């Protein structure tokens, strides 16, 4: 159905017989929105249509404990959805809306520079790592849990990733984007 303000919207419908003696002559047709989202989380949720390569279109915000019908704003584009919790949370991976399946989505906290600076109370801080404090890696080796890369100008070494369940993630404030200044 084409709507003046919403554009192309998708509807579901059900047909049933009317109750009583006139059921042979009367049918009831119910039109409903094709998609309804139910937020059973303890915080508001934002729903987006993922349009590929970092493009997305906001659909609706749903308060916790509420449900709400929605339509895809770009019904003829990619039919993928993404969620984001209100607050300091990353966007989920996109998933197809037309597939009836259970999806388990990982939602991660955003570790941005202001939070990082507040937790360290300084722009420069010291992390002391000894061989005795490192957790064992999967093959028995010691595993700090940091991946590094150089910046675009090849002038500094920057943390590319902090691996989960490793010494760096569990016992330090090191986050993605930190610069390595010195190794003793």
């Amino acid at each position: 159905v084409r709507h003046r303000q919403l554009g192309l919207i998708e509807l579901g419908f059900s047909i049933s017989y009317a109750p009583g003696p006139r059921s042979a002559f009367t049918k009831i047709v119910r039109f409903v929105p094709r998609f309804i989202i139910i937020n059973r989380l303890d915080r508001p949720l934002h729903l987006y249509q993922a349009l590929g390569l970092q493009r997305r279109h906001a659909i609706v915000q749903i308060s916790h404990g509420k449900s709400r019908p929605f339509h895809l704003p770009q019904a003829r584009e990619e039919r993928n959805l993404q969620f984001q919790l209100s607050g300091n949370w990353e966007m989920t991976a996109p998933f197809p809306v037309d597939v009836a399946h259970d999806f388990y989505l990982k939602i991660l906290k955003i570790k941005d520079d202001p939070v990082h600076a507040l937790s360290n109370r300084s722009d420069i801080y010291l992390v002391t790592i000894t061989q005795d404090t490192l957790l064992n890696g999967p093959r028995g080796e010691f595993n700090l849990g940091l991946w590094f890369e150089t910046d675009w100008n090849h002038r500094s070494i920057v943390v590319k990733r902090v691996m989960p369940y490793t010494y760096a993630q569990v016992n330090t404030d090191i986050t993605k984007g930190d610069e390595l200044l010195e190794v003793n």
Side-chain angles (χ1 to χ4, degrees):
V1 175
R2 188 165 300 283
H3 189 275
R4 272 186 281 190
Q5 282 108 8
L6 299 176
L8 188 62
I9 60 174
E10 298 173 80
L11 298 173
F13 64 92
S14 67
I15 302 172
S16 60
Y17 292 105
R22 299 195 184 257
S23 64
F25 307 107
T26 306
K27 292 184 181 166
I28 299 172
V29 180
R30 289 188 177 101
F31 292 94
V32 295
R34 176 154 186 225
F35 305 109
I36 296 175
I37 185 166
I38 301 169
N39 184 1
R40 293 187 180 147
L41 301 173
D42 63 350
R43 64 185 67 221
L45 183 71
H46 301 271
L47 179 65
Y48 298 88
Q49 181 179 4
L51 299 172
L53 294 180
Q54 303 296 329
R55 290 181 40 229
R56 65 183 68 88
H57 193 288
I59 296 176
V60 69
Q61 177 181 340
I62 307 100
S63 300
H64 68 279
K66 303 288 183 186
S67 64
R68 191 165 176 187
F70 70 92
H71 301 285
L72 294 174
Q74 306 291 327
R76 294 179 189 222
E77 294 278 336
E78 289 188 41
R79 301 175 60 81
N80 295 320
L81 295 178
Q82 286 181 288
F83 292 105
Q84 185 176 27
L85 295 176
S86 287
N88 202 20
W89 295 90
E90 289 187 10
M91 187 81 63
T92 65
F95 61 95
V97 71
D98 292 322
V99 176
H101 189 67
D102 290 336
F103 294 98
Y104 295 93
L105 303 172
K106 188 174 190 177
I107 303 175
L108 301 172
K109 272 280 219 197
I110 295 174
K111 290 185 177 181
D112 54 5
D113 289 338
V115 172
H116 185 62
L118 288 175
S119 68
N120 294 309
R121 303 203 190 285
S122 173
D123 290 338
I124 299 174
Y125 59 98
L126 175 68
V127 176
T128 303
I129 301 168
T130 64
Q131 190 174 14
D132 297 335
T133 60
L134 295 177
L135 301 174
N136 284 329
R139 291 179 297 278
E141 76 279 7
F142 291 108
N143 188 358
L144 176 59
L146 293 174
W147 287 5
F148 294 100
E149 65 182 356
T150 60
D151 66 357
W152 287 100
N153 299 323
H154 300 288
R155 293 188 186 146
S156 60
I157 299 173
V158 179
V159 175
K160 179 179 181 179
R161 184 172 181 197
V162 180
M163 300 302 293
Y165 312 112
T166 59
Y167 181 83
Q169 192 251 346
V170 173
N171 298 308
T172 72
D173 284 338
I174 298 172
T175 61
K176 179 180 176 180
D178 284 351
E179 183 179 343
L180 178 64
L181 299 178
E182 181 180 330
V183 176
N184 290 332

